[in-house]
């Protein structure tokens, strides 16, 4: 029985804090329109799948395109979108990855108007640590409305 | 002055991370329909009180019944319910328990429909650690609408 | 190169847990009507600025007045207001301060009525640690609607 095959276990307090701060920074990049910085939170070959999209985005180029398209749509409608990740559970795996499960909410506010709660999802990520930074290797987002 | 009578103090970073992850896992169990796993997050003699319910539920059997009734109601109405716990404050007591105070939000999404913000509460738990797991010994949920 | 001029870095897990618990306690004070306890979460010369208010509040006396005015307005309308801080990112600076960026949501519930999502903001704080407590030296809140 080597470390590679040991059972999974909880993350450390350091990892839990880092991952929560990473999620805050990562989604803030997207919400503030910094698509490249958001995309850099995925590995080069990262996968971003959503149950409301037929095919997963594979790799940073495809993920960046998705991000830019979403932001263009919001800009056209004059909306500020905020992604809230919370209720994070996280588990270390023997291969060095961390598997997270979390809830995600989206709120939208029109410039000069009244904000609204937009939708609720769940997320499941496989995270890896590279050069002192957490990166998303695989993300699956499932919208509650279509679960 | 023994440890039993010492003043309360803040929790460690480890405890704070564990408790936040426990809340995520525990409420996810309920929201995903795993009543037994949710109920196992209470001690055998755990108490679950809400200011909108005349009598507290005492013990896992009563708590499980409450959970199943709530889930049956949601299933009938085709709703996904998500409980968000956040804004967690936590304090160690000399008797080894941890007392938490937190906010809780409930969001509901009809299958194929538009999610809504349902309600806001506050929560106060007494948690104990048994065999490496956090358990709820006592929970009081107060709905803002009827506070 | 001394510690005073070293580059900024991430906070420790201890600091991240403490700051999240501080935010919970601090805003709970305001939401539960304890203006003095809320105000004590700022330094004596603390600054509280909002992009929707022409001039920042400078010092605890001015901040307490703002808090009391807000609470009086809510009491008149019979509303419970809940401030949710989340998506917290935090960075240590060489001068010993911690700079945070976070999202904030406000929910309002009329007594006996239905709660609503009120608004979404972002926040940026400069925090200092004094006598074992975190305090806000400077806070800027930017409402999404008027960003």
């Amino acid at each position: 029985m080597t470390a590679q095959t040991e059972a999974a276990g909880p993350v450390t307090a350091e990892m839990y804090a880092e991952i929560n701060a990473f999620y805050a920074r990562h989604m803030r990049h997207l919400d503030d329109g910094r698509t490249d910085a958001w995309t850099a939170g995925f590995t080069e070959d990262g996968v971003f799948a959503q149950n409301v999209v037929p095919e997963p985005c594979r790799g940073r180029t495809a993920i960046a395109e998705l991000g830019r398209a979403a932001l263009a749509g919001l800009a056209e409608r004059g909306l500020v979108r905020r992604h809230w990740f919370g209720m994070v559970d996280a588990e270390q795996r023997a291969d060095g990855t961390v598997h997270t499960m979390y809830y995600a909410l989206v709120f939208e506010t029109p410039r000069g108007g009244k904000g609204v709660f937009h939708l609720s999802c769940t997320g499941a990520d496989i995270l890896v640590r590279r050069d002192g930074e957490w990166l998303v290797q695989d993300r699956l987002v499932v919208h509650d409305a279509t679960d």
Side-chain angles (χ1 to χ4, degrees), chain A residues 80-91:
Chain A
V80 180
R81 183 176 280 178
R82 298 287 171 204
H83 291 84
W84 276 67
F85 282 24
M87 297 289 279
V88 178
D89 193 16
E91 193 179 66

Side-chain angles (χ1 to χ4, degrees), chain A residues 3-124:
Chain A
Q4 292 305 308
T5 57
E6 268 167 25
V11 294
T12 64
E14 283 71 26
M15 294 163 86
Y16 194 75
E18 285 168 3
I19 288 166
N20 276 278
F22 164 66
Y23 281 153
R25 209 159 44 237
H26 171 60
M27 296 311 295
R28 178 82 183 246
H29 285 318
L30 181 65
D31 292 343
D32 284 356
R34 295 183 297 272
T35 316
D36 288 352
W38 175 68
T39 306
F42 291 87
T43 60
E44 271 294 348
D45 62 349
V47 175
F48 178 28
Q50 298 181 79
N51 75 326
V52 293
V53 174
E55 286 295 317
C57 287
R58 297 180 186 281
R60 282 187 182 160
T61 305
I63 293 170
E65 271 171 37
L66 183 84
R68 275 191 292 268
L71 287 172
L74 292 170
E76 205 171 299
R77 296 157 63 210
L79 292 177
V80 180
R81 183 176 280 178
R82 298 287 171 204
H83 291 84
W84 276 67
F85 282 24
M87 297 289 279
V88 178
D89 193 16
E91 193 179 66
Q92 282 191 74
R93 297 292 170 92
D95 63 4
T97 62
V98 167
H99 290 225
T100 63
M101 295 182 74
Y102 51 92
Y103 285 173
L105 299 173
V106 180
F107 295 86
E108 290 182 346
T109 306
R111 302 274 172 183
K114 178 82 183 156
V116 296
F117 162 63
H118 181 50
L119 60 79
S120 168
C121 311
T122 57

